[in-house]
Amino acid sequence: MTDPASRSNFLARWWHSDVGYSFRHSPLAIVAALIALVCVFCSLFAGWVAPHNPLDVSTLELGDARLPPAWIEGGSTKYLLGTDDQGRDIFSALIYGARISLVVGISSVLLSLLLGVTLGLVAGFKGGWVDAVLMRISDVMLSFPAILIALLIAGVGRAVFPNAGDTLAFGVLVLSIALTGWVQYARTVRGSTLVERGKEYVQAARVTGVPSVRIMRKHVLPNVMGPVLVLATIQVATAIITEATLSFLGVGAPPTSPSLGTLIRVGNDFLFSGEWWITIFPGLMLVLIALSVNLLGDWLRDALNPRLR
């Protein structure tokens, strides 16, 4: 038992909960959380952590282009992981690129979560033709590869706004990824809502005249969010990889604000000419972020499963 002062603190309550106990006894989850926290911290404070600003073209020196990492002959301690074809420090570019990838990934997941949970809740609670229409739309979405839909939306967005600024370009990118991910949330929430709407507490609320919107928001939604949180955690990694894929194909992040996918695309042209570090290090960074988030999602899925407690 914890003392009253500790119970009043959210972190203390979480630490002593079943989920906190599971986290403390899962070395893999701890390592994944530390990696994710380091990546997020470096991304948030990129201006202080990164030794150079790869986005400031006035600081670039073409004479330093394509330098190898510091531990290889010809490298410089000024550029720990080497430089790219424009003389940008790879280490600094990784930090700034990870920030863009994380922002796009998390933003798209939040948007798709909001859309999917809302539609799934309505479909499961209302049923009838509303449920049928929404589920047929989701079936159509699932019949196409997610990356193809995202590529189509991003391409159309670029065609409609050919001279869009960075903000609008990022908005189109987030929207294209979000519109490919809402289906999983909608189907998950719908299935859980179908179970919850037949339970006694929902029937009692209906009998007492509680509006349907209030029942869904106050009673049903809190009881269906467990699987959604697990799915959202895993979808963050998927969204980051999708963003990297779109950027690699040239329809993702704008060149003025390169993400990890853009860095991989740039380095791909030099991969077989000996400058492997230009593409390998961004690729490793992408794998590290996606793997840590996926491991956290796997742990959260097991921690929230009452059968495994």
Side-chain angles (χ1 to χ4, degrees):
M1 294 293 292
T2 58
D3 56 271
S6 297
R7 283 198 296 267
S8 64
N9 184 279
F10 173 78
L11 290 178
R13 292 199 306 269
W14 177 85
W15 186 256
H16 294 283
S17 66
D18 292 337
V19 177
Y21 177 85
S22 173
F23 180 79
R24 297 198 306 271
H25 290 78
S26 176
L28 201 60
I30 294 175
V31 172
L34 288 176
I35 294 174
L37 285 175
V38 169
C39 292
V40 171
F41 176 83
C42 292
S43 300
L44 290 176
F45 301 99
W48 290 274
V49 177
H52 306 276
N53 185 358
L55 305 181
D56 186 1
V57 295
S58 63
T59 62
L60 302 182
E61 299 181 13
L62 292 179
D64 293 334
R66 298 161 69 176
L67 289 178
W71 61 86
I72 298 179
E73 184 180 358
S76 171
T77 55
K78 182 180 178 181
Y79 306 109
L80 181 62
L81 300 181
T83 60
D84 63 5
D85 61 317
Q86 300 180 30
R88 292 182 297 193
D89 177 39
I90 295 294
F91 179 69
S92 301
L94 289 182
I95 296 176
Y96 278 85
R99 179 173 65 178
I100 295 172
S101 296
L102 285 171
V103 168
V104 172
I106 294 175
S107 300
S108 60
V109 166
L110 290 176
L111 182 58
S112 60
L113 186 148
L114 178 63
L115 179 62
V117 168
T118 302
L119 295 179
L121 200 60
V122 172
F125 194 82
K126 292 295 185 181
W129 68 269
V130 175
D131 181 29
V133 170
L134 291 177
M135 288 304 100
R136 296 300 77 76
I137 294 175
S138 67
D139 290 339
V140 172
M141 295 288 291
L142 288 175
S143 64
F144 295 96
I147 188 63
L148 181 61
I149 299 175
L151 187 62
L152 175 63
I153 297 173
V156 171
R158 282 175 170 263
V160 174
F161 306 103
N163 299 318
D166 288 357
T167 303
L168 185 57
F170 278 118
V172 172
L173 180 59
V174 169
L175 183 63
S176 64
I177 299 175
L179 291 180
T180 64
W182 69 269
V183 177
Q184 288 81 358
Y185 298 103
R187 296 178 73 90
T188 300
V189 172
R190 172 187 176 269
S192 300
T193 303
L194 288 174
V195 175
E196 295 296 325
R197 75 174 186 178
K199 292 186 176 180
E200 293 181 355
Y201 74 94
V202 175
Q203 299 300 327
R206 280 178 164 174
V207 170
T208 56
V210 179
S212 297
V213 175
R214 183 177 177 83
I215 295 176
M216 287 188 288
R217 182 167 56 89
K218 291 289 187 179
H219 301 285
V220 179
L221 182 60
N223 291 299
V224 302
M225 285 303 293
V228 172
L229 293 177
V230 176
L231 181 60
T233 305
I234 297 175
Q235 285 293 96
V236 169
T238 303
I240 292 174
I241 294 176
T242 302
E243 181 279 325
T245 304
L246 293 175
S247 296
F248 182 82
L249 296 175
V251 293
T256 54
S257 301
S259 66
L260 293 177
T262 307
L263 296 175
I264 295 174
R265 175 170 60 86
V266 171
N268 187 59
D269 297 333
F270 304 96
L271 183 60
F272 296 104
S273 62
E275 289 83 10
W276 51 267
W277 57 88
I278 302 178
T279 189
I280 292 298
F281 288 130
L284 290 176
M285 185 70 169
L286 179 64
V287 170
L288 192 64
I289 294 175
L291 182 61
S292 63
V293 174
N294 268 330
L295 289 176
L296 282 176
D298 290 340
W299 160 77
L300 188 61
R301 178 195 59 202
D302 296 339
L304 295 179
N305 189 347
R307 297 181 180 178
L308 300 178
R309 293 178 184 172

